Amino acid sequence: MNTKELNSNELPQHVAIIMDGNGRWAQKQGKLRIRGHEAGAEAVRKTVESAAKLGIKHLTLYAFSTENWRRPKTEVTTLMGLLVRSLRKELERMTENNIRLGAIGSLEQLPKKVQLELNEVILKTQDNTGTHLTLALSYGAREEIKQAVIEISQKVKNNIIPVESIDETIINKHLYTQNLPDVDLLIRTSGEVRISNFLLWQIAYAELYFTDELWPDFNEQSLHKAILSYQKRERRFGKTSEQLT
Ligand code: FPP
């Protein structure tokens, strides 16, 4: 596939990816699951750089869900270690590529080492103006919505806002993603066709793209293919085709 086929005026502003299939990729090759995650981290690096090259404004990656804490302790520990190593290793490249890092999720549940590394990279890349990369870590959409409901209810109870003022803008402001636009394109790899508690509110009008490719095999060409599919669709946001023309 050729980048020229992509219309640079109609890029999705916000691409979100459910990176799935690291374990199966490793299993297929008779390797340990952690080798799949390591190859997955390499695919993250390549995908972020491809997105930056294309000029994608926001890229959000589902790196660890609230449900992933249920995995065997050794896998969780190695994943956290890989995260720290990747963040350390990638800081320089992120700066070179003008990438700004952010994170969403119940971040206080992450090991201290991960929190410190994450905060450092977020701080050091905060003035970069290129692709805004958000890692969803210890993330669950229902938890995010629950937190928003609690915060809004407390404001109503304390007479900070009247109940009648609650609208989509107020709800958006209480989500982890308060500084992000809605998702335009959601990609999931590995052939699974589900959302798995990812950005439930923010994908209301997203185009969904599922590919059988396992996450470690995902590359620049795969991203282009997904965006091309997005560009061929008509986004009506509830209107009719005629109203759009
Ligand atoms: C899904 O594959 C992947 C994960 C749960 C973790 C994602 C982590 C990475 C891509 C690597 C490190 C991340 C960063 C940001 C550097 P799976 O284990 O569920 O695969 P399976 O369904 O085949 O078992």
Side-chain angles (χ1 to χ4, degrees):
M1 176 163 316
N2 193 326
T3 321
K4 288 197 187 104
E5 288 180 61
L6 294 179
N7 179 351
S8 55
N9 296 318
E10 286 199 17
L11 287 173
Q13 204 193 163
H14 187 176
V15 177
I17 310 182
I18 303 176
M19 310 180 288
D20 198 9
N22 293 351
R24 275 162 285 167
W25 182 92
Q27 197 179 26
K28 261 173 64 182
Q29 315 206 2
K31 292 180 177 166
L32 293 172
R33 288 180 61 83
I34 185 61
R35 300 285 164 251
H37 293 314
E38 283 167 0
E42 190 56 26
V44 167
R45 188 180 61 72
K46 286 190 199 145
T47 305
V48 172
E49 289 184 4
S50 307
K53 214 160 89 183
L54 279 175
I56 301 289
K57 291 240 173 346
H58 301 276
L59 176 67
T60 300
L61 302 177
Y62 205 4
F64 196 85
S65 70
T66 41
E67 290 75 22
N68 286 151
W69 291 114
R70 298 186 198 136
R71 292 196 172 194
K73 198 166 174 280
T74 48
E75 181 168 340
V76 172
T77 311
T78 24
L79 258 173
M80 292 297 149
L82 176 62
L83 197 59
V84 171
R85 285 202 309 281
S86 302
L87 286 165
R88 252 182 226 154
K89 215 170 95 190
E90 296 309 325
L91 174 62
E92 211 172 304
R93 281 182 105 101
M94 282 195 216
T95 309
E96 273 168 27
N97 289 302
N98 199 17
I99 289 157
R100 173 161 65 106
L101 185 72
I104 53 170
S106 304
L107 303 176
E108 70 291 344
Q109 285 181 19
L110 295 169
K112 270 278 161 303
K113 235 165 71 179
V114 178
Q115 291 186 41
L116 287 172
E117 204 61 43
L118 203 55
N119 288 337
E120 191 181 330
V121 181
I122 290 173
L123 200 71
K124 286 190 172 154
T125 60
Q126 67 180 348
D127 294 327
N128 293 347
T129 54
T131 299
H132 181 194
L133 165 67
T134 302
L135 296 181
L137 290 163
S138 190
Y139 175 88
R142 287 188 171 183
E143 178 61 26
E144 176 182 35
I145 293 169
K146 186 192 90 183
Q147 292 292 339
V149 171
I150 292 173
E151 279 175 36
I152 295 170
S153 310
Q154 275 165 348
K155 287 185 184 168
V156 171
K157 192 171 145 205
N158 297 329
N159 292 319
I160 297 169
I161 56 167
V163 71
E164 302 74 30
S165 73
I166 299 172
D167 58 7
E168 291 191 10
T169 309
I170 292 210
I171 295 173
N172 273 322
K173 277 190 189 150
H174 289 83
L175 297 173
Y176 302 138
T177 51
Q178 53 190 257
N179 298 317
L180 293 171
D182 273 358
V183 175
D184 298 304
L185 170 63
L186 174 73
I187 300 171
R188 182 171 189 148
T189 59
S190 92
E192 307 292 353
V193 188
R194 53 178 174 262
I195 303 298
S196 302
N197 202 14
F198 190 42
L199 301 174
L200 295 180
W201 173 274
Q202 300 85 343
I203 60 165
Y205 289 102
E207 295 297 329
L208 309 182
Y209 179 87
F210 299 97
T211 167
D212 286 340
E213 257 181 318
L214 301 175
W215 176 250
D217 294 325
F218 196 86
N219 57 25
E220 185 166 36
Q221 198 183 346
S222 323
L223 181 67
H224 289 183
K225 222 167 131 186
I227 295 175
L228 199 63
S229 160
Y230 165 88
Q231 291 187 335
K232 284 184 179 151
R233 303 185 196 180
E234 181 183 66
R235 303 186 78 200
R236 292 197 293 272
F237 299 99
K239 295 182 180 172
T240 66
S241 287
E242 292 71 30
Q243 283 176 298
L244 295 174
T245 50

